[in-house]
Amino acid sequence: MVTGQSLKVLHDMWIKNIIEPSHVISYLDKLDYTLGFITLEGISVISKDKKTQFSWKTPEKNNTQI
């Protein structure tokens, strides 16, 4: 099963160059999901039956300076 936490972990591993997008795709394929997108801002997956979609986005940073 894909959860927001697992997407965060996949995204973090990709950002840190621990895994490549092809590894993400292979992992998701085993769970019957496909990769919707993976960017610096987040990741999205879609179930192969197109009934379920999950996404995770990096938290917005507060750039306000005091």
Side-chain angles (χ1 to χ4, degrees), residues 7-61:
L7 291 180
K8 179 187 182 312
V9 171
L10 281 174
H11 186 264
D12 287 347
M13 291 175 67
W14 173 71
I15 290 291
K16 295 175 182 172
N17 291 315
I18 297 170
I19 58 175
E20 297 181 17
S22 61
H23 299 138
V24 174
I25 293 168
S26 295
Y27 173 75
L28 292 172
D29 188 54
K30 292 176 184 177
L31 300 175
D32 289 330
Y33 283 84
T34 58
L35 183 64
F37 68 82
I38 189 166
T39 66
L40 294 175
E41 289 80 33
I43 183 171
S44 174
V45 298
I46 305 164
S47 63
K48 288 187 177 179
D49 64 6
K50 309 256 190 244
K51 291 183 179 180
T52 310
Q53 179 174 345
F54 294 103
S55 61
W56 179 85
K57 299 210 178 205
T58 57
E60 290 186 28
K61 295 179 181 173

